[in-house]
């Protein structure tokens, strides 16, 4: 594994507004903390919170990166103290607390999964919606085969992921949407 650079390019938000306010900046490469991995980002997803943050309507939580990007895919290039779930060179997708619009991004190892046969672009578009649906519908809600799930906002990213997962696990699905076009 090559030595990591000290600096990297990120996409920051220069001021609240449309896509034109997303501008390249130079920042220090993050150092992974305990239980974290550093991922060389190959792809990052675009989600509603990223768009809301860019427009000034969604401030990052305290302690989170001011950079947009909640999901990434790429290669593990450094390990923080105690990180053992992944090894250097592994290809992963991860849910992060912001900072995904960068060449490198730290992620807690528990929120990263192997890419497997997925491309980086496919993996970079999965964690935010998948983890949200899995946690809420299956872990908290306990959805089981044969049960019925009502999904509000069925045409959204979360909605379409919920439809796919619920159907895959044998549930009957009903959805609501905001308009006939959706």
């Amino acid at each position: 594994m090559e030595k990591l650079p000290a600096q990297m390019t990120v996409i920051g938000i220069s001021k609240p507004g449309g896509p034109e306010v997303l501008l390249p900046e130079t920042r220090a490469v993050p150092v992974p903390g305990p239980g974290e991995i550093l991922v060389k980002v190959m792809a990052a997803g675009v989600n509603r919170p990223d768009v809301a943050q860019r427009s000034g309507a969604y401030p990052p939580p305290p302690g989170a990166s001011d950079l947009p990007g909640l999901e990434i895919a790429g290669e593990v290039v450094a390990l923080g103290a105690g990180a053992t779930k992944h090894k250097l060179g592994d290809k992963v997708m991860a849910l992060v607390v912001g900072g995904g619009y960068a060449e490198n991004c730290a992620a807690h190892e528990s929120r990263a999964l192997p890419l497997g046969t997925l491309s980086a672009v496919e993996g970079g578009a999965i964690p935010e919606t998948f983890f949200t649906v899995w946690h809420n519908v299956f872990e908290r809600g306990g959805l089981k085969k044969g049960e019925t799930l009502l999904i509000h906002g069925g045409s959204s990213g979360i909605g379409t992921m919920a439809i796919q997962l619920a159907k895959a696990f044998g549930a009957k699905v009903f959805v609501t949407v905001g308009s006939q076009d959706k």
Side-chain angles (χ1 to χ4, degrees), residues 161-173:
M161 180 63 75
I163 292 166
Q164 293 175 69
L165 285 173
K167 299 286 277 178
F169 281 83
K172 185 174 185 176
V173 177

Side-chain angles (χ1 to χ4, degrees), residues 15-131:
K15 61 184 177 186
E20 70 281 355
V21 305
L22 296 172
L23 297 173
E25 301 175 14
T26 300
R27 294 204 187 169
V29 171
V31 175
E36 291 184 333
I37 58 176
L38 183 66
V39 178
K40 181 177 177 142
V41 177
M42 300 163 80
V46 178
N47 292 280
R48 173 172 248 162
D50 301 317
V51 174
Q53 182 180 351
R54 185 201 71 221
S55 70
Y58 185 77
S65 172
D66 65 328
L67 298 175
L70 300 174
E71 57 187 355
I72 59 169
E75 180 181 348
V76 177
V77 293
L79 303 171
T84 59
K85 185 176 177 185
H86 305 283
K87 63 184 187 311
L88 296 177
D90 282 356
K91 301 287 194 298
V92 298
M93 58 182 137
L95 179 65
V96 296
V97 187
Y101 289 14
E103 289 183 290
N104 296 280
C105 183
H108 195 276
E109 68 176 352
S110 66
R111 295 186 205 108
L113 298 170
L115 270 180
T117 61
L118 297 174
S119 72
V121 171
E122 291 166 330
I126 290 176
E128 170 69 5
T129 55
F130 181 89
F131 289 172

